[in-house]
Amino acid sequence: MPKWLNDAVFYEIYPQSFLDTNGDGIGDLEGIIQKLDYVKSLGCNALWLNPIYDSPFKDAGYDVRDYKKVAPRYGTNDDLVRLFDEAHKKGIKVLLDLVPGHTSEEHEWFKKSCEADKNEFSNRYIWTNGAFCGIAGHPYIGGEAERDGCYMLNFFKCQPALNYGVLNRTEPWQMATDDPDCIATREAMKDIMRFWLSKGCDGFRVDMADSLVKEDDEVKSATGKIWENIRQMLDEEFPEAALVSEWSNPECALKYGFHADFYLDHHGNGYNVLFRDGETEGGDHSYFKKDSNESPMRFLADYQHKYDNSKEYGHISFISCNHDTPRLTKTMDVSELKIGYAFLYTMPGVPFLYYGDEIGMKYLDKVKTKEGGFQRTGSRSPMQWDDKAANFGFSTASADKLYIPVDDSKDAPSVASAENDPDSLIHMVRSIIALRHEYTDLQADSDFEVLYAKENERLLVYRRGSLVISVNPGEAEVKVSKKDLAGVPSDFKGDLIYGIGSADLNGDELVLGKQSFAIFE
Ligand code: GLC
Ligand code: CA
């Protein structure tokens, strides 16, 4: 386990929307380099960049055409190496996005695979043995290639699935996971990883990490074996490199070798019931909505076993949002976000902040889809640096040339205006992240124990190391006797080291004002 992860706080950058330095309306690597000091000022000491590889951009770069070449619109391979170097000088690590489940249909491997004559890449993708023989469970006819077969897709139609084999084989064209051609796919991924790691990259966020072997079993044991093998390579050759999965099943992902796994917005899971439970009947039931009246119990019912069963292997990663998910401002106001973020950045594991969430950028529900974004496009709009500058300082291009239009609402936030407002979210985000760096008890590894949580009650009290943290997301004051806080010694000093709203633990009671959050020492 790379030690640096213990104190890591990640900032996710969607490169096309961060900062455009050559006026073409699209963010670039130079823009990221210019803003490293800003990232550092937030307290973030690691970056995750969405794909920066050469691509026809039908899925915003998750359709890779060449894994070893930076997309010209972002810069060159040399620019990326410069980004690694400049980031390292400032104590910032950089993760790239590895897309191992599929490539673009324009990847050279796929073009070769489409040829009728057998070649090295014929089995790099999953093909049936006849154009009229559809993929099991997917009754379509391919028929676009010279090759007499039909290929499997992994996500969008432009993303043919790479072939790591099939576990439960029922069709003659399905290949075993230990077939040399399937092993070759895995080795090709390792080769790509080595390529960037040896240039200074610090690891990978892995796209659809659970999607490698098809007809895998419920715990994805065959896909898991591949990750175990890849992790072994990292341990031997790049022991400081981090591997973070898009899997949202830490009990599987971390056992198979990932250092951290995202807790994603899957319907009904613990992360969703905290922040994103707006689609259930009877209004928004998210714990952090001030008027939801929800207890933390539904969150804990999902989180606690995930934490208990995975903590010895790695970390759960809470996110503020990501490029696939509506920004939290869609349903939450700043007062709710402050309590939510304070919780998020004081939980165990390795947390992520999505660009713009530190200023409460909005989810733009009216923008047109871009590069396969569809409803995700609203969370991918240009970073709002300066409300006084054209395009918020994102780009000097004319507004119609921008990758995605900027937020045109009157109260659109910007970094410049947030910096000038002492009550703004950015200051709160900075202060909680700074505290996390200061107290090892708040970092990834240190223990987590629930001290108070009850059905029908808003209060949540938990321990991180020797610190006691209390949360009241609701609109009413809550009180609880110190005796009822399991595990807090009666002589606990109860000095407040961080607070939002009013909080007191000096007497025999813990008293928390409406919408409050407090850390006691
Ligand atoms: C992941 C990415 C998403 C992409 C998909 C296909 O879910 O986060 O943006 O569209 O995989 O690669
Ligand atoms: Ca540009």
Side-chain angles (χ1 to χ4, degrees):
M1 172 70 67
K3 269 219 184 70
W4 61 269
L5 279 176
N6 192 40
D7 186 28
V9 178
F10 276 87
Y11 191 72
E12 177 189 348
I13 293 181
Y14 190 70
Q16 42 275 65
S17 293
F18 200 53
L19 180 66
D20 169 25
T21 59
N22 64 351
D24 65 356
I26 301 178
D28 40 55
L29 294 178
E30 176 58 32
I32 299 174
I33 294 173
Q34 289 183 17
K35 290 295 181 184
L36 287 170
D37 282 329
Y38 171 74
V39 169
K40 202 175 170 189
S41 83
L42 298 172
C44 293
N45 51 13
L47 293 176
W48 155 30
L49 309 184
N50 293 107
I52 42 67
Y53 317 106
D54 181 44
S55 165
F57 294 108
K58 292 186 181 174
D59 183 14
Y62 283 96
D63 47 329
V64 180
R65 184 162 52 200
D66 184 346
Y67 290 96
K68 293 185 177 174
K69 182 180 170 204
V70 166
R73 75 184 199 185
Y74 298 136
T76 62
N77 284 18
D78 287 344
D79 292 327
L80 184 54
V81 171
R82 201 157 51 83
L83 167 58
F84 295 148
D85 292 346
E86 293 302 315
H88 293 163
K89 281 187 207 154
K90 298 177 195 294
I92 299 173
K93 306 276 187 182
V94 185
L95 298 196
L96 296 180
D97 208 317
L98 183 74
V99 188
H102 48 266
T103 65
S104 156
E105 60 199 351
E106 293 185 21
H107 196 290
E108 279 307 313
W109 298 341
F110 188 65
K111 289 191 197 155
K112 285 291 221 180
S113 202
C114 284
E115 289 175 6
D117 293 333
K118 199 157 169 37
N119 61 63
E120 187 190 341
F121 300 101
S122 298
N123 292 329
R124 181 59 49 97
Y125 299 82
I126 304 174
W127 289 86
T128 64
N129 48 18
F132 298 104
C133 160
I135 294 282
H138 303 272
Y140 55 84
I141 308 292
E144 286 178 356
E146 176 187 80
R147 175 173 176 164
D148 185 14
C150 180
Y151 59 90
M152 191 179 230
L153 304 173
N154 215 35
F155 198 69
F156 283 117
K157 180 187 161 285
C158 62
Q159 291 160 324
L162 284 162
N163 185 13
Y164 296 87
V166 172
L167 183 65
N168 295 304
R169 286 183 290 155
T170 52
E171 305 286 337
W173 46 265
Q174 294 174 330
M175 292 170 62
T177 55
D178 59 357
D179 187 286
D181 285 343
C182 298
I183 302 280
T185 309
R186 182 193 75 197
E187 292 304 306
M189 274 309 132
K190 280 155 77 173
D191 172 60
I192 292 159
M193 295 171 84
R194 288 188 180 105
F195 178 82
W196 290 113
L197 290 168
S198 61
K199 291 190 182 328
C201 157
D202 298 291
F204 298 91
R205 172 270 188 184
V206 179
D207 186 68
M208 291 176 68
D210 61 337
S211 75
L212 307 190
V213 173
K214 306 307 177 198
E215 320 307 335
D216 208 343
D217 57 21
E218 212 173 293
V219 294
K220 305 268 171 168
S221 59
T223 295
K225 279 211 182 90
I226 295 173
W227 291 116
E228 281 167 1
N229 176 282
I230 291 176
R231 169 67 184 269
Q232 199 184 338
M233 178 279 278
L234 290 182
D235 285 351
E236 283 162 16
E237 299 172 35
F238 301 95
E240 286 299 297
L243 206 54
V244 182
S245 48
E246 183 196 30
W247 193 314
S248 212
N249 185 348
E251 285 154 303
C252 282
L254 302 181
K255 244 179 234 168
Y256 296 140
F258 283 94
H259 297 110
D261 182 37
F262 288 114
Y263 208 2
L264 294 175
D265 57 318
H266 294 171
H267 190 75
N269 82 1
Y271 172 71
N272 248 41
V273 300
L274 289 173
F275 293 105
R276 301 172 172 280
D277 208 10
E279 268 143 41
T280 34
E281 245 174 83
D284 192 331
H285 290 280
S286 306
Y287 176 65
F288 286 109
K289 275 309 282 181
K290 56 182 172 236
D291 56 1
S292 76
N293 272 324
E294 289 294 326
S295 83
M297 298 305 278
R298 283 188 309 149
F299 160 68
L300 291 170
D302 182 65
Y303 175 75
Q304 190 72 55
H305 70 88
K306 289 188 167 147
Y307 171 72
D308 291 340
N309 296 330
S310 65
K311 65 179 173 193
E312 69 176 288
Y313 303 100
H315 303 297
I316 293 174
S317 282
F318 282 90
I319 59 172
S320 62
C321 182
N322 70 22
H323 63 290
D324 292 330
T325 302
R327 290 195 190 262
L328 288 175
T329 46
K330 188 176 176 202
T331 54
M332 301 226 166
D333 67 23
V334 169
S335 71
E336 291 163 333
L337 284 179
K338 283 183 179 172
I339 310 293
Y341 285 179
F343 164 86
L344 229 147
Y345 296 108
T346 54
M347 285 295 280
V350 179
F352 282 67
L353 174 66
Y354 183 53
Y355 83 97
D357 281 352
E358 69 277 23
I359 55 169
M361 265 173 62
K362 291 187 195 159
Y363 174 73
L364 308 186
D365 51 6
K366 294 203 171 59
V367 291
K368 251 177 55 198
T369 181
K370 182 80 180 183
E371 298 183 347
F374 300 98
Q375 67 269 32
R376 307 178 295 181
T377 310
S379 294
R380 300 175 173 186
S381 62
M383 179 68 178
Q384 292 152 209
W385 296 104
D386 182 355
D387 49 321
K388 305 262 174 347
N391 304 321
F392 285 91
F394 161 69
S395 170
T396 56
S398 59
D400 60 319
K401 294 262 157 32
L402 299 185
Y403 178 75
I404 291 171
V406 293
D407 184 355
D408 61 3
S409 59
K410 278 212 186 66
D411 56 347
S414 76
V415 173
S417 57
E419 297 283 16
N420 288 328
D421 172 3
D423 286 335
S424 74
L425 211 48
I426 200 169
H427 299 295
M428 180 271 141
V429 169
R430 277 201 181 108
S431 65
I432 197 70
I433 295 177
L435 201 75
R436 189 176 169 104
H437 293 311
E438 190 182 333
Y439 285 84
T440 48
D441 277 352
L442 293 176
Q443 295 169 8
D445 277 343
S446 132
D447 343 319
F448 165 82
E449 184 195 357
V450 174
L451 305 180
Y452 191 96
K454 285 205 161 65
E455 289 294 353
N456 304 317
E457 291 188 31
R458 297 291 266 149
L459 178 65
L460 169 64
V461 185
Y462 53 101
R463 182 177 65 75
R464 294 296 321 279
S466 62
L467 302 174
V468 172
I469 303 180
S470 55
V471 185
N472 172 20
E475 291 175 299
E477 181 183 87
V478 296
K479 283 186 186 170
V480 57
S481 156
K482 237 187 195 172
K483 291 198 303 281
D484 294 330
L485 296 176
V488 177
S490 56
D491 60 349
F492 181 73
K493 280 216 322 267
D495 291 341
L496 187 70
I497 59 166
Y498 187 88
I500 297 174
S502 69
D504 182 35
L505 185 60
N506 278 322
D508 296 334
E509 276 182 333
L510 167 66
V511 186
L512 286 179
K514 63 167 188 183
Q515 287 197 294
S516 62
F517 174 92
I519 307 180
F520 301 100
E521 179 172 47

